[in-house]
Amino acid sequence: MKLSKLLERVEYKVLNRFVDYEIKDIVSDTRRVCKDIIFVAIKGKQYDSHTETLKVANAGAKCIVLEEECLSAINGVDFESDIFSEVSVITVKNSRMALGIISAAFFGYPSDDMISVAITGTKGKTSTAAMVKSLLTECGYNTGVIGTTGVFYNGKKISTDNTTPFAYDLQKVLSEMKSEGVNAFVMEASSLGLISYRTAGIHFNYGIFTNLGHDHIGGLEHESFEEYLYAKSMLFDNCDVGILNADDPYSEKMVENKALKVFYYGKHEKKDCNEIVATKVDYLLENGKTITRFKTKGLISSDFAISSPGEFAIYNCLSVLVMGYLLNANVSLIQEALDKTYVEGRTQPVFVSDKFSVIVDYAHNAMSLESVIKAFRVYNPGRIVTVFGCGGNRPKERRFSMGEVSGELSDFTIITSDNPRFEEPEEIIKDIVTGINRTRGSYITIIDRVKAIEYAIRKAKPDDIILIAGKGHEDYQEIRGVKYHMKDSETVEAVRDKLLEEKLI
């Protein structure tokens, strides 16, 4: 593809000269530089590839994209020298943004011809994405999903390392989707993905905001809550329509001074706006299943029922009802979509017996664990029994706080292993015990996760809810750098089969 075509939507300045070379690929990793590519230099928190400009030119790049504010990193480089005689050097205000836009051009702007939905928020992205996917499918769209659990389309599943893939990888997968007949996609837009401009080059038809909590702050993530909030709000700079949780105190901040049409959802009415409000909520525990029924008023007035548990599931559902309204879907079609929604590892029921419930969930920090336990408490179960561990090589405070939350909110806790990584499981469990001992919560420790799950199920009582938390959709346990196959839902099914053979259920 010609260089001019790749840059047609990019604002740039030419430092030496511009030659409309034929470009074979786009690279932002100096280890992958080869002939006839365009190289986009990126300044990260730990490494700045601007310092490798001479190396990139010598390797045969035809164009080098530099960020204006990073030129000081290459002081003394003469772009008129022989080394750059066949290289066009340009500058942009933001090279990460440029990378996204250039990648979109390279793959033919695939999102331009697709219905596009992005979901951001601290919690609920994966579940909401699954609901939206189901709705779009029921509306006749061939829909792909991009998120925490991978990329899904046309029966394919592709594993990913990031909730929101890097810009080049994202555009590539969208191009592959489009070539196979996908005409709509829904994706999770993480705060790091947004602030790194991984979605640059995509203008979304719909953006959904779920909620905002104090998470992902510190370390290599966000420096402050204010930065975290700003990152989330970036989604709505590139949306036609915003769909926001009116009950979240930061919802208006998300769309402040942004040019888009806004719709709200929630459990409380918001004056003078387009909204859907949930009323008359009933939480029922029936034959080992959690059922939530509610009525709505506003843009849609009707009755709905969902099997996903808890208040947060209602909020996720309401955002999808707004989508349904905007897509002119009738109530029966929306309910059908909700009935068909399946989210692996997110409050995922795994049937064992109609006398008690077993739920697998990804809750792996105190905030998410508290949220999911409270979600089940409203069903008035016999007991809530929580099985969880904590990952190794992670902050100890997470272990203390998760232990404290489970001790306060569960009726009984079984502390076990998660992904110990390069730590000893016993030491991780000791930290969790430190937290739970701050409460009066009852607990037992069983290091082996399989045995812990089996213990919980064998000891289940009528109307119990057994929550197996921490790993959700993961199909491995990481021990000293090796990932061994282990999936909580499969473990539950194996225990169920064993109990059936023993005629205990």
Side-chain angles (χ1 to χ4, degrees), residues 63-84:
C63 178
I64 298 176
V65 180
L66 304 172
E67 190 164 310
E68 290 176 2
E69 291 188 358
C70 298
L71 292 178
S72 59
I74 48 176
N75 280 339
V77 174
D78 182 5
F79 295 113
E80 299 295 337
S81 67
D82 290 344
I83 295 174
F84 294 95

Side-chain angles (χ1 to χ4, degrees), residues 100-298:
I101 298 171
I102 293 168
S103 297
F106 186 75
F107 289 104
Y109 305 107
S111 65
D112 284 4
D113 301 317
M114 303 165 77
I115 297 294
S116 54
V117 185
I119 302 163
T120 198
T122 303
K123 298 180 295 182
K125 294 188 295 296
T126 303
S127 298
T128 304
M131 289 181 175
V132 173
K133 189 268 183 187
S134 186
L135 174 65
L136 288 168
T137 300
E138 289 299 307
C139 288
Y141 294 98
N142 184 351
T143 309
V145 179
I146 303 167
T148 305
T149 56
V151 174
F152 303 85
Y153 66 96
N154 290 349
K156 295 182 179 180
K157 177 180 179 181
I158 303 169
S159 298
T160 56
D161 294 327
N162 303 97
T163 296
T164 306
F166 291 115
Y168 181 93
D169 300 325
L170 176 57
Q171 296 296 338
K172 182 179 180 181
V173 78
L174 288 174
S175 175
E176 291 168 352
M177 284 183 179
K178 182 180 175 182
S179 69
E180 294 194 28
V182 174
N183 57 6
F185 70 94
V186 53
M187 67 176 290
E188 298 177 48
S190 68
S191 55
L192 290 176
L194 289 165
I195 208 164
S196 299
Y197 294 91
R198 295 177 196 170
T199 61
I202 303 173
H203 187 82
F204 293 99
N205 299 120
Y206 306 96
I208 297 175
F209 168 66
T210 60
N211 50 64
L212 194 68
H214 287 71
D215 201 4
H216 304 291
I217 298 168
L220 296 177
E221 295 187 284
H222 299 287
E223 293 182 359
S224 65
F225 180 76
E226 290 71 25
E227 181 187 290
Y228 181 46
L229 186 155
Y230 171 75
K232 293 292 189 187
S233 74
M234 289 175 68
L235 170 62
F236 300 99
D237 291 322
N238 290 295
C239 286
D240 293 321
V241 177
I243 302 171
L244 298 102
N245 178 357
D247 295 343
D248 188 277
Y250 301 103
S251 61
E252 292 186 0
K253 284 284 187 182
M254 289 292 125
V255 292
E256 193 172 59
N257 299 320
K258 299 184 190 296
L260 75 168
K261 191 163 186 177
V262 176
F263 292 80
Y264 287 98
Y265 62 91
K267 294 179 69 178
H268 304 92
E269 290 188 61
K270 189 177 179 67
K271 292 182 179 180
D272 302 321
C273 69
N274 297 314
E275 66 179 359
I276 293 178
V277 180
T279 64
K280 297 181 180 179
V281 179
D282 290 317
Y283 300 101
L284 307 170
L285 191 59
E286 299 176 348
N287 299 321
K289 296 179 181 179
T290 55
I291 306 294
T292 305
R293 300 184 188 278
F294 60 94
K295 295 180 179 292
T296 62
K297 62 180 180 179

Side-chain angles (χ1 to χ4, degrees), residues 294-353:
F294 60 94
K295 295 180 179 292
T296 62
K297 62 180 180 179
L299 299 175
I300 294 178
S301 296
S302 190
D303 298 327
F304 291 93
I306 53 175
S307 57
S308 300
E311 185 178 56
F312 55 81
I314 297 174
Y315 280 103
N316 296 343
C317 179
L318 289 173
S319 70
V320 178
L321 297 190
V322 176
M323 275 286 302
Y325 168 82
L326 295 170
L327 294 169
N328 295 314
N330 61 46
V331 168
S332 59
L333 185 147
I334 296 172
Q335 182 63 67
E336 185 76 11
L338 296 175
D339 290 342
K340 292 181 179 179
T341 299
Y342 170 78
V343 189
E344 185 178 31
R346 298 302 196 278
T347 57
Q348 175 190 350
V350 185
F351 183 77
V352 176
S353 167

Side-chain angles (χ1 to χ4, degrees), residues 474-485:
E474 292 180 352
D475 60 1
Y476 63 87
Q477 186 173 44
E478 186 178 347
I479 303 171
R480 301 212 166 272
V482 179
K483 291 184 177 181
Y484 299 91
H485 183 80

